[in-house]
Structures are given as structure tokens and as C-alpha cells.
Amino acid sequence: MSQVTTFPKDFLWGGATAANQCEGAYAEDGRGLANVDVVPIGKDRHAIITGQKKMFDFEEGYFYPAKESIDFYHRYKEDIALLAEMGFKTFRLSIAWTRIFPKGDEASPNEAGLQFYENVFKECRKYGIEPLVTITHFDCPMYLIEHYGGWRNRALIGFYETLCRTLFTRYKGLVKYWLTFNEINMILHAPFMGAGLCFEPGENQEQVKYQAAHHELVASALATKIAHEIDPENQVGCMLAAGNYYPYTSNPKDYWKAMQEDRESYFFIDVQARGEYPSYALKKFEREGLSIDMTNEDLALLKEHTVDFVSFSYYASRVASADPEMTDQTDGNIFASVKNPYLESSEWGWQIDPLGLRITLNQIWDRYQKPLFIVENGLGAVDTPDDNGYVADDYRIAYLAAHIKAMGQAINEDGVKLLGYTTWGCIDLVSAGTGEMKKRYGFIYVDRDNEGHGSLKRTKKKSFDWYKEVIATDGASVLRD
């Protein structure tokens, strides 16, 4: 039997961005202030995104990269034309909540914000590009954080419901694929970024995080319900920051530790894809004395409105050890783990593991038996342009090619159902973790540095034409190598 050398003909090839990391124009056309706006680059960034340091407005002495970012807000036509030139079938982008509802709790939306996204979606459609829209990508109105406490407050379910009804109604026929919350498990690791949580002294932070998580999970189920009611064609997915854990040794204690680490993230998707809290999570709440407010109506919503597909980001695998003396950790990642001696690392310490993507795909497919969608994958690297602004990013091509091969094996040899693949930061943008511009992922170079200097000129990298060929051949250009 001859080996299959292409991806499915309806496979959705494309790239991914997030509003706060590319749009800029943070105060234009009625947009309100969001949590992602007031996170600066520099030494305090980690403390702020984890909710340990309070910064609710711009302060002197800091640089806030999201204010201008790469100015997609004014340049979206130019940027989408470049994506179309690559042959994109889909483009993942997100909604800035405060463009639609500047404070978050208004009864009526901001028309200028609605019109902007309508223009963007129509521009995509002009080129035959399917928009894949994240409703909330680390995005919470500052007004809701200051006056309601962010997602710790049940009231946010209602505000999110209003946002979703507005989006699904306005963009019916323009958008079919929706994601409710980006990397929903990030609430445990970067709670201010993930849920607008800033902790008070003496507060039980685990209690607050899991209560906020419950509110997001209920909101996600409600969004799925509304999406299907407004347009039966809508497909709604959840989104996980994925990357399976390997045990450091064959010691059963290491294997058990790896299983526990995986469950910490799968917990969210277990609820969204299976419709109920897994028994191990309920036991954790009981063991740790966490009292999560759940109503019967909440549980019915979760049960009756599970997601249509499961999407995830994958950058690296992780390693778990039960040995408390094991201190050799990976660098530069919110999901730091024990270092894997068998893998090479990126310039930011992320370990490169294409086989780990195939393993992750199989694990998630086996667990949920729902269609999968890889919505983030890529290599953050320092790109050095030549005198003409051209970047010969062979290292990025090698990384992506290896991961695309792993995807092909998962589909063709393992039987995984995969809807599509959107590389992260298809055009250079601001890093969510570090706030840097020099940590680049794109096929398109943007002339901007960490301090906000530069012309913002767009230039195609070597990987631009390479990815164009991948899409044109439905992956055969990679699989046949």
C-alpha cells in the first residue's frame, strides 16, 4: 500500500494572531482599557501577569508594547493581502472585548468596534480566507477588573454572554469557527492575563483561580449554546495550552507526577469536551478544602453544551520529576519544567520536540474523540535582516517542517482527525510571555524593536515562500522530503 503523502484536501492551513499582540490603536474609536494593555515589558511583567503585582493603569518609567504593537488596526488590508499571497485557507485572530464594550458591562455595543471586525472578516472573505475567531484571547476590560474583580465574579458570565450574542448575531455568515477562551488553563499560571485576577494579601489564591475557572467554563458552555442557536453552521472549540509531560525516569513516582501535571491542564478540556467535572478534580477540591460555587443550572449547561472541536497550542513537551532536588529547569516559559536531556532548546529555552506534537495529538484524540485543530505552533527566534530587510530564517523552516511531518504522521498513520493548522505569529508581533518584539515567529518581518522603534515596514522572510509552497501542495512538499 502506497503511503499517503498529502493532508486532507479541506485542511485549513493558515496562521494565528491575537488582538492585543498586533492591533495597537489601544485608545482609538471608543476602545476601552484592557488588562493586556497595562502589562509592560521588563522585570515586573511576570509579577503583573501572575496577579502578584497590581498595575491597573499606565505608570511612568514603563514601556507598554500593546499600545501600538504592529498597528494591524490601520494596516489590516496590507497584512491580509500578504497572508492571501501565501495561500492561507484560514486566519486566526481575536476580538478585543473593549472595542465592542469599552467597559464590559454596557447594554449596547460600540459600533465602531463592530464595524472594524466586520471589515476585517470581509477582507478575509474577499480572498477566500476562513476567519477563525477567538472571543477572548487574554483580554478582559479593566473596568470589570476594578469594579467586579475580574472572572472571580459570577457577573462576568452575563457580560460575556452579551458579548457573544452581539458577535454571533453581527457576524452570522461571516464567521463559522469560534474559540471561547484562549489557553484556558493559563488561568492557573498567569491569572491576571488569563482572567483579570489580582490577589489580595492573605487570599486563598487556589480558591480564587478555580472559582474563576468555573465561571469561564460556564461562560464557554453558554457561548456554545448561543452560537448553535443563532447559526447552526457555527462550530465552537475550546483551546488548551498543550504539551504533554514525560516522566524524567522510569520511576513510577515520576510517571505519577507526569500524569498529575497533565491532568492539571486536561481538567479544563475534560469539562468543555465531556461536559462534567472529572472525579480527580472534585477530589482535589475536597482534599484542598476548595469550595467552588456551582449551581445545578451551571452543571446542566456544561453537560448539554460541549464543544464541537478541541483546539490547542503546542510549542514544546515538558518533563516531570517527583524528586524535589531536581532543579535543572527550562528557561523563558510560563510552563517551565524539568529539562529534557534528549532535546535541543530554542533561544528562549523552549525544548524542540516534533515527536511530542504527534504524541500530544494522539493523547488528546484518544481522550476526547473530537476533531482537533492546532491553532498555535512556531519557533520564537531572533531574526537578523540583511541590508534589504530580508531574513533567511532556515531555522524556522526546519522547526515547522519537522512539526508538519509529525502532524502528517498523526493523520495518516494514527488516524487522528485534524481540521487545520495555524502557525503562531504568522506576522511578527509582540510576545505575550515577555512583551518582546525580538522574539519573532512570523513569515513576515515587521520593522519594530523592543522599545517601540522602527518603521513598521513589512518584509517577506525566506519562510514566506516556503510556507506558500507547503499550502499549495497540501503539505506534500514537506511530507515527500
Side-chain angles (χ1 to χ4, degrees), residues 1-9 11 13 401 404-413 469-481:
M1 188 173 71
S2 62
Q3 186 181 6
V4 178
T5 56
T6 62
F7 284 75
K9 286 298 178 187
F11 193 77
W13 295 98
I404 290 170
K405 283 181 181 177
M407 285 160 40
Q409 290 166 334
I411 294 169
N412 296 322
E413 297 177 35
E469 177 71 6
V470 170
I471 297 172
T473 63
D474 272 322
S477 62
V478 170
L479 296 184
R480 67 179 172 231
D481 286 347

Side-chain angles (χ1 to χ4, degrees), residues 121-430:
F121 300 149
K122 286 181 174 176
E123 196 70 15
C124 289
R125 289 288 180 193
K126 184 173 89 175
Y127 294 105
I129 297 172
E130 186 84 50
L132 168 60
V133 179
T134 313
I135 298 167
T136 300
H137 192 127
F138 301 150
D139 201 293
C140 187
M142 278 308 306
Y143 185 88
L144 298 185
I145 295 171
E146 293 187 82
H147 291 81
Y148 296 89
W151 278 96
R152 73 176 69 208
N153 193 322
R154 177 175 283 274
L156 265 75
I157 298 174
F159 302 143
Y160 184 83
E161 177 184 0
T162 301
L163 173 67
C164 289
R165 285 190 185 280
T166 303
L167 299 179
F168 298 149
T169 302
R170 178 64 172 254
Y171 304 127
K172 182 178 180 180
L174 277 177
V175 179
K176 173 184 174 183
Y177 292 99
W178 301 89
L179 306 179
T180 53
F181 291 90
N182 179 68
E183 293 185 333
I184 192 168
N185 51 320
M186 193 65 78
I187 194 173
L188 301 180
H189 306 275
F192 181 72
M193 194 162 69
L197 302 180
C198 198
F199 301 109
E200 302 300 330
E203 198 168 32
N204 183 335
Q205 297 188 13
E206 289 295 291
Q207 169 75 33
V208 173
K209 286 190 284 189
Y210 278 100
Q211 184 64 65
H214 176 72
H215 293 152
E216 288 194 353
L217 290 166
V218 173
S220 177
L222 189 55
T224 307
K225 175 180 184 288
I226 297 165
H228 291 152
E229 287 172 352
I230 291 177
D231 185 355
E233 294 295 308
N234 277 332
Q235 294 286 298
V236 183
C238 53
M239 204 294 211
L240 167 74
N244 55 292
Y245 277 87
Y246 303 135
Y248 186 67
T249 71
S250 55
N251 186 330
K253 291 181 179 178
D254 283 357
Y255 189 94
W256 178 244
K257 179 68 172 176
M259 186 174 173
Q260 288 177 305
E261 295 282 6
D262 278 339
R263 275 178 163 179
E264 183 182 83
S265 292
Y266 282 137
F267 147 72
F268 294 88
I269 314 304
D270 284 351
V271 177
Q272 292 175 295
R274 291 172 166 171
E276 58 189 16
Y277 275 82
S279 53
Y280 65 81
L282 297 176
K283 283 295 184 182
K284 171 189 170 67
F285 298 159
E286 181 184 310
R287 187 169 60 248
E288 297 181 10
L290 305 181
S291 179
I292 310 301
D293 174 40
M294 302 183 195
T295 68
N296 290 332
E297 184 185 15
D298 291 347
L299 298 178
L301 269 171
L302 295 175
K303 188 68 177 174
E304 294 165 15
H305 302 286
T306 55
V307 292
D308 300 307
F309 64 95
V310 176
S311 78
F312 63 92
S313 59
Y314 178 87
Y315 296 97
S317 56
R318 305 158 195 158
V319 176
S321 171
D323 181 1
E325 303 299 313
M326 181 64 66
T327 57
D328 191 15
Q329 298 273 308
T330 56
D331 300 321
N333 193 340
I334 292 170
F335 286 93
S337 81
V338 174
K339 195 172 288 185
N340 191 328
Y342 297 99
L343 299 175
E344 295 181 0
S345 298
S346 74
E347 292 169 275
W348 272 265
W350 298 28
Q351 298 206 273
I352 299 170
D353 184 10
L355 180 55
L357 175 57
R358 182 179 182 181
I359 293 167
T360 297
L361 279 162
N362 275 276
Q363 280 192 346
I364 298 176
W365 173 250
D366 289 349
R367 194 175 185 103
Y368 303 117
Q369 296 290 300
K370 284 181 182 273
L372 307 184
F373 207 137
I374 300 170
V375 294
E376 289 184 29
N377 172 242
L379 178 69
V382 175
D383 291 337
T384 306
D386 65 16
D387 292 341
N388 298 315
Y390 180 75
V391 175
D393 55 343
D394 295 279
Y395 41 86
R396 182 167 293 110
I397 292 170
Y399 175 98
L400 293 173
H403 286 76
I404 290 170
K405 283 181 181 177
M407 285 160 40
Q409 290 166 334
I411 294 169
N412 296 322
E413 297 177 35
D414 307 330
V416 171
K417 184 173 181 181
L418 187 61
L419 297 174
Y421 174 70
T422 58
T423 67
W424 176 246
C426 46
I427 180 169
D428 290 348
L429 38 64
V430 175

